Amino acid sequence: MRNTGTRQAPGVRSTDTADTGTGSTGTGNRAAAPVPTHCPYCALQCGMNLTPADGGTVEVSERTDFPVNRGALCGKGRTAPAVLASGARLTSPLVRSDDGALVPAGWDEALDRIARTLVRTRAEYGADALGVFGGGGLTNEKAYALGKFARVVLGTSQIDYNGRFCMSSAAAAGTRAFGLDRGLPFPLEDIPKTGCVILVGSNPAETMPPSLRYFNELRENGGTLIVVDPRRTRTAEQADLHLAPRPGTDLALALGLLHLVVAEGRVDEAYVEERTAGWEEARAAAMAHWPEYVERITGVPVPELREAVRLFCAPDAAMVLTARGPEQQAKGTDTVGAWINLCLATGRAGRPRSGYGCLTGQGNGQGGREHGQKADQLPGYRKLTDPAARRHVAGVWGVDPDSLPGPGRSAYELLDALGTDVRSLLVMGSNPVVSAPRAAHVEGRLRSLDFLAVCDVVLSETAELADVVLPVTQWAEETGTTTSLEGRVLLRRRAITPPDGVRGDLEVLHGLAGRLGVEKGFPTEPEEVFEELRRASAGGPADYSGIDYGRLAEENGVFWPCPAAETGAGDGPVPHPGTRHPGTPRLFLDRFATADGRARFVPVAHRPSAEEPDAEYPVLLTTGRVVAQYQSGAQTRRVAELNAAAPGPFVELHPRLAARLGAAEGDPLAVVSRRGRAVAPARITTGIRPDTVFMPFHWPGEGRANTLTNPALDPTSRMPEFKVCAVRVETVPR
């Protein structure tokens, strides 16, 4: 076990002795033209302008030409530059000394130490003793290079990323039904033009505030909004109908609605016959979920079920959009599949202004899994088990297809194997000490490693445990592409020079690859990496071969698939020879991406959550986000304005539960599950079910919500069951 004793952060930059970096500050830069780019946070990837400012940071201003946010930004986007100048900003590599402290080191020393350890681990235990854990915030170039590094340089199968915790269930269900997964198969601009939206387990008013305008415009245009959430969130308050099911019962709810669609004669029989397969089996499964039975399971009254069906089926067009609520369950793939079945039965997929979509959470959650950092995928959303895919990508990489390892462990399974099967780990862009389920156990596994290296902007809770910490660039200091929740590939542009002592992730991989004997194939220039990514993705489901940096700058992004013109591939219009493919804003209008062009119904049935309440743990816990913080909070918790708005964790509970406990507003409460205990102040509201408590998951320490959560995995997506577990709630003496 490694010595991770007293933790120090001597390599961070103090705000009163800031290293401004070369060419990034001064009055001359204040007059510089604003650089158009995109926000570093959620999958909206809102457009913004950055202008260099004093202190090595930038000033944010509106960018009204980008259609997604039209200039609007949430508090996180507005304050993003504060992380660049924060006192917690890393500006020097850190290495673990013999006495357990993290001390500054030079880049050569840090990279040499990582390389030596990786070589030693591989020699002693084999290549699969080396693990790589990536992030859904990495650019496409970084995600691509990281997957290539794991498979070509390290030769390991043990790579996955925190995007597994985001929308993997929706991806699995979408692929199963449609033959292709893209978060939204249509642009956000279609939402106000439809007739009804069912928003399942999503709270965009807090998770992606600029998107709320689309739902407001929907209602202004005469459409209706149905929100499915056990809490009366800010989004639910604006809905025409709010359904508040018991956590973990979204699958039964969807089946109950489909039952009513059949019983009331609302099935689009012509569409089902022409464009789908498997309806009879799915119909039979749904008919076993009659309304009164579904009411007993979900707690949603039958009249509300009937009203939801009426609102959804009345207009000519409608949509179902899911997020983490139904997806982060041990039955998440089937749950999303049930909502897709509802869309298919009513003819609401592959038609204008209609369809099923997933509201991706992380900034590059879509692109991050398309290009190879997921355990079972190669670039272009190719399957690692497909011999043709292996041959194509190996040809681009210049290696033997047989040298590529097979699929590895999923994210939680990889973390659970640390210190036993996986002995050394490289983490890039993730903070699993806070974000992983059963987080205390995961923290223990990280501590048990022989060696841990972390690349990050700040000294995160995971970086604090590392043997080597590498300070890497932030979004304003680097160029690269991301892919938004719409499937729109975007160009982030560098606006300022990073501080001395900070390097890009591509430079890190280049330096490690060279030390490990691979001198070529890991360029440091993002555009050069993207050009290779284009070739590797060509002909795959996520085909980027017709996209280049020039187009992205010129066109404000391009929707994939976008094959090179000469291939004539893809789902969009085929251009004339010599012209470029226009990209594909709307998928499936002519056919689905299956062999016969038909969408697939999948028969599913309700089943209990992996952990149901009992006498010892009688209450349900669900988790989520608040508007002023983001994901594990590693960056947003370092912004004073955001901390003032959301200073710490809390336990949201109903007045009836509070009365039984004898708890008042602000009293400390302990929430206890089979995995641990978290303590946070009470927040009492009638906006949550009496049988449920809610905790946000942005904080470490005693209020860490993910200490409690259940790592039970979906059998298809390997998604952990973050959204529901059994707990008891206790008062804590002050």
Side-chain angles (χ1 to χ4, degrees):
M1 183 178 293
R2 299 170 297 111
N3 181 356
T4 55
T6 305
R7 291 170 183 76
Q8 302 175 11
V12 303
R13 182 170 67 190
S14 169
T15 52
D16 58 358
T17 58
D19 174 3
T20 58
T22 306
S24 61
T25 62
T27 56
N29 277 331
R30 282 191 175 278
V35 177
T37 190
H38 298 273
C39 179
Y41 291 116
C42 83
L44 283 182
Q45 288 297 280
C46 291
M48 57 170 55
N49 286 319
L50 300 180
T51 305
D54 289 336
T57 184
V58 290
E59 293 177 352
V60 171
S61 59
E62 288 187 358
R63 181 184 167 193
T64 57
D65 70 306
F66 187 61
V68 171
N69 61 310
R70 307 174 216 165
L73 293 170
C74 73
K76 294 186 289 293
R78 285 189 298 99
T79 61
V83 179
L84 299 172
S86 169
R89 172 67 186 274
L90 292 167
T91 57
S92 169
L94 306 174
V95 298
R96 186 76 59 183
S97 66
D98 291 340
D99 65 1
L102 283 172
V103 297
W107 272 94
D108 284 340
E109 178 186 351
L111 292 174
D112 287 347
R113 183 167 175 181
I114 296 173
R116 283 196 308 270
T117 304
L118 296 179
V119 168
R120 185 169 60 248
T121 300
R122 185 168 57 187
E124 186 170 354
Y125 300 104
D128 276 355
L130 305 177
V132 177
F133 199 84
L138 300 179
T139 63
N140 289 317
E141 293 81 358
K142 294 178 185 179
Y144 172 83
L146 189 63
K148 181 180 178 182
F149 176 82
R151 295 179 173 106
V152 172
V153 178
L154 301 182
T156 183
S157 67
Q158 300 303 303
I159 175 172
D160 211 76
Y161 80 127
N162 63 18
R164 176 79 68 170
F165 301 155
C166 178
M167 56 176 293
S168 58
S169 293
T175 300
R176 193 166 67 178
F178 306 131
L180 181 69
D181 156 50
R182 194 179 83 185
L184 291 182
F186 42 74
L188 285 162
E189 67 184 41
D190 286 1
I191 291 175
K193 302 171 186 175
T194 193
C196 177
V197 172
I198 302 181
L199 192 58
V200 189
S202 178
N203 182 18
E206 297 202 56
T207 58
M208 44 182 66
S211 73
L212 197 62
R213 69 194 312 160
Y214 293 100
F215 301 101
N216 292 336
E217 290 170 8
L218 164 73
R219 299 185 70 214
E220 291 167 3
N221 292 340
T224 55
L225 175 63
I226 301 170
V227 171
V228 179
D229 199 306
R231 304 168 60 223
R232 190 161 183 80
T233 63
R234 295 183 188 180
T235 305
E237 288 174 353
Q238 301 184 44
D240 297 281
L241 177 63
H242 173 211
L243 307 180
R246 182 176 177 267
T249 63
D250 309 89
L251 174 53
L253 178 63
L255 288 163
L257 297 181
L258 182 53
H259 178 110
L260 287 170
V261 165
V262 175
E264 295 176 4
R266 299 180 185 272
V267 176
D268 188 332
E269 301 285 358
Y271 172 93
V272 169
E273 175 68 23
E274 180 183 353
R275 299 203 61 189
T276 72
W279 167 233
E280 289 305 318
E281 294 84 356
R283 178 186 182 278
M287 296 314 289
H289 297 76
W290 60 95
E292 292 76 13
Y293 172 58
V294 170
E295 178 180 329
R296 289 200 301 273
I297 294 170
T298 66
V300 177
V302 171
E304 292 185 9
L305 298 175
R306 295 189 183 278
E307 178 66 1
V309 168
R310 185 188 70 80
L311 292 174
F312 184 66
C313 294
D316 293 334
M319 298 174 179
V320 172
L321 304 177
T322 67
R324 306 302 79 74
E327 298 163 15
Q328 287 182 326
Q329 298 184 31
K331 53 181 181 288
T333 301
D334 284 353
T335 300
V336 173
W339 290 103
I340 291 175
N341 286 349
L342 179 66
C343 288
L344 294 176
T346 53
R348 306 307 175 94
R351 284 179 167 174
R353 300 175 292 112
S354 286
Y356 164 77
C358 166
L359 298 178
T360 311
Q362 294 191 76
N364 197 30
Q366 180 70 53
R369 71 180 179 282
E370 293 170 3
H371 298 300
Q373 65 172 332
K374 190 163 174 276
D376 56 353
Q377 286 177 190
L378 288 169
Y381 225 143
R382 288 181 159 91
K383 293 182 179 179
L384 190 54
T385 53
D386 179 359
R390 294 171 67 89
R391 286 194 300 271
H392 174 84
V393 174
V396 174
W397 289 351
V399 300
D400 183 342
D402 292 337
S403 71
L404 298 178
R409 294 176 172 88
S410 70
Y412 178 76
E413 291 167 304
L414 173 57
L415 295 171
D416 191 40
L418 300 181
T420 53
D421 294 334
V422 177
R423 309 300 293 252
S424 294
L425 182 70
L426 171 64
V427 176
M428 187 173 284
S430 188
N431 187 19
V433 166
V434 179
S435 63
R438 198 186 174 195
H441 172 74
V442 169
E443 180 178 344
R445 301 320 307 156
L446 285 161
R447 291 180 183 276
S448 73
L449 281 164
D450 295 343
F451 184 80
L452 173 63
V454 174
C455 302
D456 211 327
V457 178
V458 298
L459 193 68
S460 69
E461 287 73 22
T462 302
E464 288 179 352
L465 304 181
D467 296 282
V468 177
V469 183
L470 301 178
V472 291
T473 49
Q474 242 281 26
W475 103 111
E477 303 162 346
E478 60 186 13
T479 294
T481 62
T482 62
T483 306
S484 75
L485 78 171
E486 302 177 295
R488 189 195 301 251
V489 185
L490 301 165
L491 181 63
R492 284 188 191 165
R493 297 168 175 87
R494 172 169 162 160
I496 56 173
T497 304
D500 292 338
V502 173
R503 296 185 183 180
D505 296 275
L506 295 178
E507 294 177 271
V508 170
L509 295 176
H510 173 84
L512 289 175
R515 285 167 170 80
L516 292 166
V518 180
E519 300 293 338
K520 296 181 179 180
F522 289 88
T524 60
E525 288 300 319
E527 188 168 7
E528 188 176 349
V529 178
F530 190 80
E531 287 301 304
E532 183 178 303
L533 181 157
R534 293 175 62 197
R535 299 195 303 275
S537 74
D543 191 334
Y544 283 30
S545 61
I547 305 173
D548 57 42
Y549 273 32
R551 282 195 70 175
L552 295 178
E554 176 187 331
E555 300 180 27
N556 242 339
V558 178
F559 291 86
W560 71 261
C562 183
E566 59 269 18
T567 68
D571 192 50
V574 178
H576 295 293
T579 64
R580 59 191 186 187
H581 193 286
T584 316
R586 295 169 182 86
L587 295 167
F588 313 137
L589 295 180
D590 298 319
R591 68 191 311 275
F592 294 98
T594 56
D596 59 5
R598 292 173 174 266
R600 300 289 190 267
F601 282 98
V602 177
V604 293
H606 167 72
R607 58 184 185 270
S609 298
E611 188 174 80
E612 292 287 338
D614 57 21
E616 187 176 2
Y617 301 97
V619 177
L620 289 168
L621 168 71
T622 192
T623 64
R625 287 170 49 189
V626 297
V627 67
Q629 301 289 353
Y630 181 72
Q631 304 300 71
S632 76
Q635 294 185 34
T636 52
R637 284 187 275 111
R638 288 165 167 82
V639 179
E641 180 179 332
L642 300 179
N643 279 337
F650 56 86
V651 180
E652 186 177 279
L653 71 164
H654 192 275
R656 277 160 47 188
L657 178 56
R660 289 204 301 271
L661 295 169
E665 181 76 14
D667 283 354
L669 294 177
V671 182
V672 184
S673 78
R674 289 177 173 85
R675 289 153 295 281
R677 181 176 187 265
V679 177
R683 183 175 293 184
I684 301 172
T685 173
T686 57
I688 191 168
R689 292 173 54 95
D691 58 1
T692 301
V693 295
F694 167 83
M695 291 187 71
F697 54 67
H698 309 290
W699 288 274
E702 70 169 5
R704 180 174 59 187
N706 277 321
T707 296
L708 309 168
T709 49
N710 190 354
L713 300 180
D714 181 288
T716 303
S717 68
R718 316 308 290 169
M719 167 74 83
E721 191 151 84
F722 285 99
K723 278 295 182 280
V724 53
C725 69
V727 299
R728 66 174 181 267
V729 185
E730 304 168 341
T731 56
V732 177
R734 286 184 179 272

